[in-house]
Amino acid sequence: NIEVQTYSGLTVEYARTIKGSGNDLLDSADRNTDIYISRSTNQGQSFPDDPVQLLQLTDIMLTGSPGGEHGPDQVMPSITIDTCGGVNIVFYDDRNDPDPGDLDVYLDVWYVRITGFGTDHMAIQQSRLTPQSFLLNPVTLLYLGDYHHMASAPPSLTSLAPVVYPAYITQALDDENEWTLQNCYLHRITIYCLGDMNLNGELDNEDVELFNSAFTNDSSAADLNGDGGIDVEDETLFWDVRANGCDSR
């Protein structure tokens, strides 16, 4: 097990407040640490626990498989809202640990972006930020006390699209195949609208042609909701974004 003093993060989207926490609170069948995202619509006076305002990032959502007694665990989240309204989270995750039941704990840093929070068309996109899993130092008795941080920036002269910057701490193997001391890393992640198929920062006619081609050919580029399938939900999502603009997702 990993001994973690996890903490909550807080971010604001217009008049709505969203916080993330790495605690196992809801799903009794999922006996490992998950991340919960709670949204307030009254300037943080309360955080309802109904399904529309409270989201548990389950192992099914993130890995496609149910969790077990030994994980996978997601801990130490940091959260921010980008200028398109997407919920961005970075966290430690041990889903790639070759033997979750032993004392050698291998971790990665993962990034998740959620669009359409609390709607029927919610989509989750995720990326592994670490090139390889790193071994949690056993000398520290598996105590993990390193915090992530993430900031967002609007479109600018150097980027036509919004950007988020996750910062995190990991270990890595050096040239002699030895684990390094902890190092801090910073990523720059450009946020493209779900309907911006040509990644030019705009919704134009070429996006329609590219999406229709990807959808017809069953290409993963048309999987806008990130569920692994190409179906009518992706098509509905694409045209919804076309009608309401990037800020709707």
Side-chain angles (χ1 to χ4, degrees):
N1 293 325
I2 307 171
E3 181 182 352
V4 176
Q5 289 186 342
T6 191
Y7 68 108
S8 298
L10 189 69
T11 187
V12 176
E13 177 200 5
Y14 306 110
R16 296 183 295 180
T17 304
I18 299 179
K19 66 179 180 178
S21 177
N23 297 302
D24 194 4
L25 300 174
L26 295 182
D27 190 350
S28 60
D30 190 0
R31 297 186 179 278
N32 50 64
T33 302
D34 292 333
I35 292 173
Y36 295 80
I37 305 166
S38 179
R39 179 171 63 180
S40 172
T41 57
N42 56 8
Q43 291 79 49
Q45 296 181 38
S46 63
F47 287 86
D49 59 1
D50 62 85
V52 174
Q53 309 297 351
L54 180 62
L55 172 66
Q56 176 188 5
L57 288 181
T58 65
D59 297 317
I60 287 288
M61 290 180 181
L62 297 177
T63 70
S65 301
E69 182 178 356
H70 299 291
D73 296 314
Q74 295 83 39
V75 297
M76 311 301 288
S78 180
I79 185 171
T80 190
I81 301 294
D82 59 58
T83 56
C84 288
V87 181
N88 302 265
I89 307 171
V90 62
F91 51 88
Y92 286 122
D93 191 309
D94 66 351
R95 72 181 74 175
N96 294 316
D97 190 329
D99 188 354
D102 66 12
L103 295 179
D104 291 331
V105 179
Y106 286 86
L107 294 173
D108 283 288
V109 176
W110 281 78
Y111 162 78
V112 164
R113 182 173 187 259
I114 304 169
T115 55
F117 187 99
T119 72
D120 293 336
H121 301 297
M122 186 180 70
I124 296 177
Q125 300 167 298
Q126 58 178 323
S127 299
R128 180 184 180 184
L129 299 185
T130 42
Q132 62 186 21
S133 303
F134 67 95
L135 179 64
L136 188 61
N137 190 350
V139 176
T140 62
L141 300 178
L142 303 186
Y143 176 78
L144 189 62
D146 299 313
Y147 304 113
H148 306 302
H149 188 65
M150 189 159 45
S152 61
S156 64
L157 294 177
T158 59
S159 175
L160 295 176
V163 178
V164 295
Y165 296 92
Y168 57 90
I169 295 176
T170 70
Q171 292 176 292
L173 289 174
D174 60 21
D175 294 338
E176 298 180 357
N177 208 37
E178 297 290 338
W179 290 106
T180 65
L181 297 176
Q182 293 164 317
N183 298 305
C184 185
Y185 297 89
L186 177 69
H187 274 251
R188 173 190 170 106
I189 299 176
T190 302
I191 304 299
Y192 291 105
C193 176
L194 284 178
D196 185 11
M197 304 296 291
N198 57 10
L199 305 182
N200 68 351
E202 300 177 353
L203 296 177
D204 51 35
N205 291 333
E206 185 180 1
D207 296 317
V208 177
E209 296 175 5
L210 291 173
F211 176 78
N212 287 338
S213 176
F215 188 84
T216 301
N217 293 300
D218 205 31
S219 168
S220 60
D223 182 18
L224 299 188
N225 63 3
D227 66 354
I230 315 299
D231 51 35
V232 67
E233 292 186 4
D234 299 302
E235 191 173 32
T236 300
L237 181 56
F238 177 80
W239 290 108
D240 180 60
V241 171
R242 290 283 301 180
N244 297 301
C246 283
D247 289 346
S248 67
R249 296 294 174 192

